[in-house]
Amino acid sequence: MVERNHLTLLTDLYEITMAAAYYQHEMFAPATFSLFIREYPPNRGYFLSTGLDQVLSYLESYRFTREDLDYLRSTELFSEELLDYLGTLRFSGDVHAISEGRLFFKNEPILEVTAPIIEAQLVESFIINAVNLQVSIATKASRCVHAAQGRKLVDFSLRRTHGTDAGLKVARASYIAGFGGTSNVLAGKVYRIPTSGTMAHSFITSFEEETDAFRAFFETFPNNTVLLIDTYDTVRGAEKAVEVAKEMKSKGNELKGVRLDSGDMAELSKKVRNILRENGLEKVRIFASGGFDEYKIADALERGAEIDAFGVGTKMGASADGPYTDMAYKLVKYDGRPVLKLSTGKKTLVSEKQVFRNRRDGRIIEDTIALREEKMEGEPLLHPVMKDGKRLESSEPLEAIQERFKEEFAALDDIYKALKQPEEFPVHLGPDLEKLQTKVVHEVIEKELGES
């Protein structure tokens, strides 16, 4: 059984084989690696920064256990000298990063790691794994929040996320993006996220009569009764819910809500709302779940759906229409020398960088990627978060990160938040970075390709 907090070997083998070669050739100089996303997935116009907290916790506790070293020894790939070295290795580097909850755009560095090259190389796979998932999910979730126009959303994705760890990270990422809670009880415990949930269809069908199931749930949770009304017939279920609501009222309690989970949600919600109104139950909320994402939420509301809150599950939890990002972690400087990659479609920007964000009348209007020491107008987004392997700040409350996102998102024009074919946000290169990039490209072409 792998300890949840010990993940040093959660890496690709080539990270360790490269480390072995670096070690043999005495390459211990500082290296800077930059994490960024090359392109947008379909219909995306921005990304939401998440996952930094897990990265910093991982780096701060980085070590190889005796069991790790015994396993590496069993592969017969690595020398005893290297294994002895790895046995004493701790991450000793620095990290600059964009705070969680902020927007960023393609090609902008999300974080940069500077450390002796072996250390900086070995942590690559974990960093991409932790950040890629959460950025994908948080961005998808934020689009659902945007589509919902202020209505509450709850994460219902746990049963169909891609593993237990993903289930926890989805709950965290979606909460940062503005969801009001999660059905995931462990996420509620670990991250202090509000939990939400009532019953499944199996509860209804386990009783001989639907009304009996409603009454039983009310008796168990008199102050928090939300009834699932679509097991047999949604309209008839609503009428039965009204019957139980009147019984509850006679005992001094109120029905909190009803939930729809199938059928034409827009039309059914209108019918259910009329039934509730006709019986003086205007305060009863209509909650809907079942295949929702930003597209289905927007469609339902455009058709006049009378829905107060949504449970959003599979399509958000797997980011169904954009399940991954083209995220890369690339060497940009080694031993004081700026480096880059020239592969077609995969070119990288040299050296340590900063991103400057400019606003006008409170609106975010453009970003500039510059050298870290370059002086530019605007707010610098990357800041030191780790020095000599130690975090500079403790973990932030998720509510603070969520508020940061809400402020930032509100300042982004709707043309970049459109659910389909958004405009591309303007991102420029600073003049000093552009000059250095051109210089290094020419040097590499001349040296590696023999062209002048």
Side-chain angles (χ1 to χ4, degrees):
M1 183 70 176
V2 178
E3 295 179 37
R4 245 181 70 79
N5 295 323
H6 183 72
L7 301 171
T8 303
L9 288 187
L10 188 65
T11 188
D12 291 294
L13 181 61
Y14 70 26
E15 310 293 1
I16 307 177
T17 56
M18 284 189 287
Y22 291 144
Y23 179 81
Q24 182 174 349
H25 294 278
E26 299 184 352
M27 296 176 67
F28 303 107
T32 297
F33 284 78
S34 187
L35 183 75
F36 60 97
I37 299 175
R38 294 187 181 99
E39 295 292 343
Y40 296 113
N43 290 321
R44 304 300 194 266
Y46 64 87
F47 298 108
L48 170 50
S49 176
T50 37
L52 176 62
D53 188 67
Q54 285 78 16
V55 168
L56 297 179
S57 294
Y58 167 80
L59 294 177
E60 200 168 43
S61 63
Y62 191 86
R63 65 185 177 87
F64 286 86
T65 66
R66 180 179 300 175
E67 291 78 10
D68 293 338
L69 298 173
D70 286 345
Y71 170 73
L72 293 178
R73 184 177 289 109
S74 74
T75 67
E76 300 183 355
L77 289 172
F78 306 106
S79 68
E80 284 299 320
E81 290 80 2
L82 175 69
L83 297 177
D84 288 342
Y85 171 78
L86 294 179
T88 63
L89 188 69
R90 301 293 184 271
F91 183 78
S92 63
D94 303 341
V95 179
H96 285 70
I98 295 176
S99 298
E100 291 192 277
R102 301 213 65 168
L103 299 173
F104 68 97
F105 304 94
K106 71 176 188 179
N107 292 317
E108 295 182 345
I110 312 163
L111 62 80
E112 291 192 329
V113 172
T114 299
I117 194 166
I118 292 177
E119 297 174 28
Q121 188 77 69
L122 284 171
V123 300
E124 172 183 356
S125 297
F126 180 91
I127 290 176
I128 295 177
N129 179 277
V131 179
N132 170 71
L133 171 66
Q134 294 188 72
V135 165
S136 297
I137 300 302
T139 304
K140 176 75 171 178
S142 72
R143 290 161 56 82
C144 296
V145 171
H146 183 54
Q149 302 175 39
R151 293 164 180 82
K152 182 179 179 180
L153 302 182
V154 178
D155 160 38
F156 270 20
S157 67
L158 174 60
R159 288 172 292 173
R160 293 191 182 125
T161 54
H162 295 167
T164 54
D165 186 58
L168 288 170
K169 286 185 168 67
V170 166
R172 181 182 188 274
S174 61
Y175 188 67
I176 287 172
F179 274 47
T182 180
S183 66
N184 185 335
V185 180
L186 183 57
K189 175 188 174 185
V190 172
Y191 299 124
R192 303 299 179 191
I193 298 171
T195 54
S196 179
T198 55
M199 65 181 69
H201 293 100
S202 57
F203 182 80
I204 305 296
T205 57
S206 67
F207 290 81
E208 289 191 8
E209 299 283 346
E210 188 174 32
T211 307
D212 293 339
F214 291 173
R215 289 192 181 109
F217 198 83
F218 155 59
E219 289 170 4
T220 305
F221 296 100
N223 299 313
N224 188 33
T225 303
V226 178
L227 302 175
L228 179 61
I229 62 174
D230 76 324
T231 303
Y232 305 113
D233 179 88
T234 301
V235 173
R236 186 70 186 101
E239 292 169 347
K240 295 175 184 178
V242 167
E243 180 183 344
V244 173
K246 290 178 178 179
E247 295 173 9
M248 293 174 62
K249 189 172 183 179
S250 70
K251 297 178 181 181
N253 300 105
E254 291 186 349
L255 178 63
K256 297 293 185 185
V258 295
R259 178 160 72 94
L260 316 179
D261 193 57
S262 58
D264 186 330
M265 300 290 186
E267 291 306 311
L268 287 171
S269 67
K270 294 177 200 176
K271 292 178 180 179
V272 171
R273 180 68 73 198
N274 286 334
I275 292 170
L276 295 172
R277 286 188 183 126
E278 289 168 0
N279 287 276
L281 297 172
E282 291 86 354
K283 291 183 180 179
V284 175
R285 304 182 78 206
I286 298 177
F287 191 88
S289 57
F292 279 102
D293 64 359
E294 66 269 44
Y295 304 112
K296 187 173 179 179
I297 291 170
D299 177 69
L301 296 180
E302 285 172 6
R303 294 170 55 215
E306 294 274 359
I307 297 171
D308 300 300
F310 295 88
V312 184
T314 304
K315 292 179 182 178
M316 183 277 294
S319 189
D321 66 319
Y324 65 91
T325 66
D326 189 11
M327 184 173 285
Y329 177 91
K330 295 300 179 184
L331 182 66
V332 296
K333 191 174 186 178
Y334 177 65
D335 199 13
R337 175 174 57 89
V339 302
L340 51 70
K341 180 178 176 180
L342 284 181
S343 306
T344 302
K346 295 187 175 183
K347 294 179 181 179
T348 58
L349 296 172
V350 297
S351 201
E352 300 147 325
K353 290 173 288 297
Q354 179 58 271
V355 178
F356 293 91
R357 177 152 296 163
N358 282 281
R359 300 187 182 220
R360 181 183 302 132
D361 299 326
R363 311 298 295 172
I364 299 171
I365 59 169
E366 64 179 4
D367 282 1
T368 302
I369 307 172
L371 295 175
R372 189 175 298 172
E373 67 273 13
E374 201 166 346
K375 303 301 181 185
M376 300 288 299
E377 291 186 359
E379 176 194 8
L381 299 187
L382 284 89
H383 61 283
V385 293
M386 177 168 275
K387 179 70 175 174
D388 299 329
K390 300 297 181 184
R391 295 177 71 137
L392 298 178
E393 300 173 352
S394 57
S395 298
E396 286 188 280
L398 291 191
E399 289 76 13
I401 301 173
Q402 187 186 76
E403 285 303 312
R404 180 183 297 130
F405 168 67
K406 288 179 180 178
E407 184 280 327
E408 184 115 320
F409 198 61
L412 184 68
D413 286 341
D414 285 347
I415 58 173
Y416 309 119
K417 297 187 283 194
L419 300 185
K420 295 182 179 178
Q421 297 183 326
E423 295 288 328
E424 187 165 309
F425 185 81
V427 177
H428 312 291
L429 295 186
D432 290 353
L433 174 58
E434 197 161 19
K435 182 178 179 180
L436 180 61
Q437 182 81 6
T438 301
K439 176 177 179 291
V440 175
V441 167
H442 287 161
E443 289 174 350
V444 169
I445 289 174
E446 184 174 353
K447 182 184 298 183
E448 303 295 339
L449 304 181
E451 300 176 13
S452 57

